[in-house]
């Protein structure tokens, strides 16, 4: 259990009974069986509970960017992946105080505000995937937005240029974005292409440097992800 970063709460209950324990990474409680712990160690998985491993090592700055991208401004420091995070909705017409859990923002993409749903994109919403570049920052960014929202305009107002926007349903847009980000981060292990200071409207965790990945390559990354998601139904990217 110690190798797994878990501190048992009670006595050993047997190999196949959930064993309540405290995660040394997030301080939360969890209850894996010893069998599953052994399997995870054999696979070389990192320490911590499922929630911690699913979210990886997160620095507070990245967590704040992900919160802003989901539509809220933090009112307190990052409290960890599963505690409610006191924050304020960024939608000017709402601005209510909310407390989403980081894990659901990052993994369920619920959007930060449960009242207005300003940034939360539901599965059947008309949405779009966009690819934008900033030539001074020498960076590209992928993102998703609801049709009719001003997300892209915000970025354009500080020098980003649209390379492509492709309309599709919310769940498709999310899948395409995830495919591209997984390629950049998990397969190619590319660092972010911009910093938090570069991006007042958030989203630097969705960027890549054009020094690491050329414009042609990022366009191709998007096209392949769209093809994988929509297949023959793919609409031609609109270039502006
Ligand atoms: Zn944990
Ligand atoms: Zn709101």
């Amino acid at each position: 259990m110690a190798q797994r970063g878990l501190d048992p709460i009670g006595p050993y209950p047997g190999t196949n009974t959930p064993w309540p324990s405290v995660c040394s990474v997030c301080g939360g409680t969890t209850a894996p069986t010893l069998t599953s712990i052994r399997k995870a160690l054999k696979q070389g998985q990192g320490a911590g509970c499922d929630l911690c491993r699913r979210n990886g090592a997160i620095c507070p700055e990245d967590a704040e960017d992900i919160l802003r991208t989901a539509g809220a401004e933090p009112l307190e420091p990052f409290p960890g992946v599963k505690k409610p995070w006191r924050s304020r909705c960024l939608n000017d017409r709402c601005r209510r105080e909310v407390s989403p859990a980081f894990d659901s923002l990052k993994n369920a993409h619920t959007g930060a505000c449960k009242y207005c749903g300003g940034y939360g994109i539901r599965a059947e919403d008309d949405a779009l995937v966009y690819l934008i570049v900033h030539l001074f920052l020498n960076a590209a960014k992928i993102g998703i937005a609801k049709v009719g929202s001003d997300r892209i305009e915000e970025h354009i107002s500080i020098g980003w240029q649209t390379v492509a926007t492709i309309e599709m349903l919310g769940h498709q847009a999310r899948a395409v974005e995830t495919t591209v980000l997984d390629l950049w981060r998990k397969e190619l292990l590319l660092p972010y292409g911009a910093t938090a200071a570069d991006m007042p409207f958030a989203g630097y965790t969705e960027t890549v440097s054009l020094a690491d990945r050329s414009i042609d390559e990022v366009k191709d990354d998007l096209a392949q992800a769209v093809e994988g998601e929509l297949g023959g139904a793919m609409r031609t990217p609109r270039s502006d």
Side-chain angles (χ1 to χ4, degrees), residues 6-23:
L6 300 177
D7 188 13
I9 293 168
Y12 173 56
T15 51
N16 289 312
T17 306
W19 193 358
S21 44
V22 175
C23 169

Side-chain angles (χ1 to χ4, degrees), residues 148-229:
S149 81
D150 57 3
R151 287 296 284 157
I152 301 177
E153 281 68 29
E154 288 178 341
H155 294 304
I156 285 175
S157 73
I158 54 163
W160 290 84
Q161 298 172 24
T162 310
V163 173
T165 57
I166 309 169
E167 290 188 18
M168 60 189 83
L169 293 175
H171 69 93
Q172 295 168 326
R174 181 153 293 134
V176 167
E177 182 192 48
T178 302
T179 300
V180 173
L181 286 175
D182 282 355
L183 173 71
W184 291 352
R185 296 283 119 70
K186 294 180 181 166
E187 266 182 63
L188 302 170
L189 305 175
L190 301 176
Y192 302 136
T195 66
D198 293 330
M199 303 204 59
F201 299 108
Y204 77 90
T205 53
E206 298 168 340
T207 61
V208 73
S209 170
L210 291 172
D212 294 327
R213 198 95 179 131
S214 71
I215 288 194
D216 285 340
E217 284 172 324
V218 295
K219 275 188 195 166
D220 201 49
D221 295 342
L222 175 60
Q224 300 234 347
V226 171
E227 178 68 27
E229 180 61 25

Side-chain angles (χ1 to χ4, degrees), residues 30-206:
T30 180
T33 63
L34 195 65
T35 304
S36 70
I37 296 274
R38 283 198 177 117
K39 201 167 122 197
L41 287 173
K42 226 184 204 168
Q43 291 170 348
Q45 291 181 11
C49 68
D50 286 342
L51 271 183
C52 286
R53 288 198 315 284
R54 177 160 84 192
N55 289 289
I58 290 175
C59 75
E61 192 181 48
D62 289 356
E64 289 189 6
D65 189 66
I66 288 165
L67 176 65
R68 289 193 185 96
T69 304
E73 189 68 25
L75 296 175
E76 63 178 6
F78 177 50
V81 296
K82 87 180 154 184
K83 287 206 193 94
W85 191 353
R86 231 162 48 76
S87 45
R88 186 167 302 288
C89 178
L90 283 170
N91 179 351
D92 282 336
R93 290 181 292 276
C94 176
R95 303 293 295 173
R96 290 170 85 165
E97 191 175 315
V98 289
S99 19
F102 179 82
D103 182 65
S104 58
L105 296 179
K106 174 125 192 285
N107 296 295
H109 305 277
T110 43
C113 181
K114 63 181 178 182
Y115 302 110
C116 70
Y119 284 63
I121 300 173
R122 283 181 289 265
E124 300 303 317
D125 282 347
D126 287 329
L128 50 85
V129 179
Y130 62 87
L131 179 66
I132 55 179
V133 294
H134 196 295
L135 298 178
F136 176 71
L137 297 174
N138 200 32
K141 176 188 183 312
I142 183 136
I144 60 177
K146 275 200 259 204
V147 169
S149 81
D150 57 3
R151 287 296 284 157
I152 301 177
E153 281 68 29
E154 288 178 341
H155 294 304
I156 285 175
S157 73
I158 54 163
W160 290 84
Q161 298 172 24
T162 310
V163 173
T165 57
I166 309 169
E167 290 188 18
M168 60 189 83
L169 293 175
H171 69 93
Q172 295 168 326
R174 181 153 293 134
V176 167
E177 182 192 48
T178 302
T179 300
V180 173
L181 286 175
D182 282 355
L183 173 71
W184 291 352
R185 296 283 119 70
K186 294 180 181 166
E187 266 182 63
L188 302 170
L189 305 175
L190 301 176
Y192 302 136
T195 66
D198 293 330
M199 303 204 59
F201 299 108
Y204 77 90
T205 53
E206 298 168 340

